[in-house]
Amino acid sequence: MKKADVKIGGVYSATVTGKCVEVRIDAEKPRGGWEATNLVTNKKVHIKSGRRLQPVVGATRSAQSTSNGKAKKVASESAKQEAVVAEKAAAKKPRKSKVAPVVGEKKLSCIAAALKVLAESGQPLNTKEMIEAMQAKGYWSSPGGKTPHATLYSAILRDLAAGDDAQFVKTGRGRFAART
């Protein structure tokens, strides 16, 4: 909307904090823009440019105060705006559920699979041997990482920092066993 089309006292649709609300233009600011009142909340807002304003189609709307002094929405929306909102809602795709259906047993984590492999082998292994055994037995496989053995090594070192509560024991250079 052009600056010349904006009238003081007029009601327009404006985008305020990401929401389309109706505002009443109260005054023009000396350095450009307008002071306006949000008709839903009765708060003062600053409209910087006419591009943020759209003419309201249909009946004018005003906010009504409740007994506690806060404003409430008035239900008289224009039919055209309601149709646009309904169209946008119908055009949106439904969100995919992030919860995977539980089928059978839950997959083991890399650490849990490593502990299981170490317990079954009964001897200390390095991380490459653990990864190969986990993949061969189907306990865990890398989701596409290039160096899963380095990730496992890092996780084991973090676990060893727990001291006596650690699940792993370092038996030699690069070799680990499960704590019994």
Side-chain angles (χ1 to χ4, degrees):
M1 172 172 267
K2 294 183 182 177
K3 182 178 178 179
D5 297 336
V6 178
K7 305 288 184 218
I8 304 298
V11 177
Y12 301 93
S13 291
T15 303
V16 178
T17 63
K19 296 177 184 174
C20 187
V21 296
E22 289 186 12
V23 296
R24 181 183 62 244
I25 303 296
D26 296 331
E28 188 169 348
K29 294 194 106 184
R31 294 188 178 208
W34 298 272
E35 285 198 18
T37 302
N38 183 335
L39 294 178
V40 174
T41 62
N42 280 337
K43 289 186 178 181
K44 297 289 183 184
V45 293
H46 176 72
I47 306 295
K48 291 182 180 179
S49 115
R51 290 185 198 161
R52 300 184 115 195
L53 298 173
Q54 296 293 323
V56 175
V57 179
T60 59
R61 200 178 106 161
S62 63
Q64 296 176 347
S65 293
T66 60
S67 59
N68 63 1
K70 292 186 178 180
K72 67 176 183 178
K73 279 191 174 181
V74 178
S76 61
E77 286 283 342
S78 68
K80 186 175 181 181
Q81 287 175 339
E82 287 176 0
V84 169
V85 170
E87 247 179 61
K88 286 182 182 178
K92 285 185 178 178
K93 292 181 182 177
R95 289 187 177 184
K96 290 183 180 178
S97 175
K98 291 184 179 181
V99 179
V102 177
V103 179
E105 237 178 77
K106 194 173 181 183
K107 288 179 74 174
L108 291 175
S109 68
C110 183
I111 294 287
L115 284 169
K116 192 170 183 179
V117 165
L118 286 172
E120 289 174 358
S121 72
Q123 61 183 1
L125 301 172
N126 67 26
T127 54
K128 283 190 179 184
E129 294 168 343
M130 285 186 246
I131 294 288
E132 289 169 3
M134 290 187 307
Q135 289 176 342
K137 293 181 180 183
Y139 296 149
W140 181 86
S141 62
S142 174
K146 293 182 181 178
T147 56
H149 58 88
T151 305
L152 177 60
Y153 187 84
S154 175
I156 291 172
L157 290 182
R158 283 193 306 271
D159 180 65
L160 288 174
D164 291 338
D165 295 333
Q167 298 173 332
F168 293 91
V169 177
K170 189 169 187 176
T171 59
R173 185 174 179 196
R175 295 207 164 269
F176 303 97
R179 185 177 295 267
T180 55

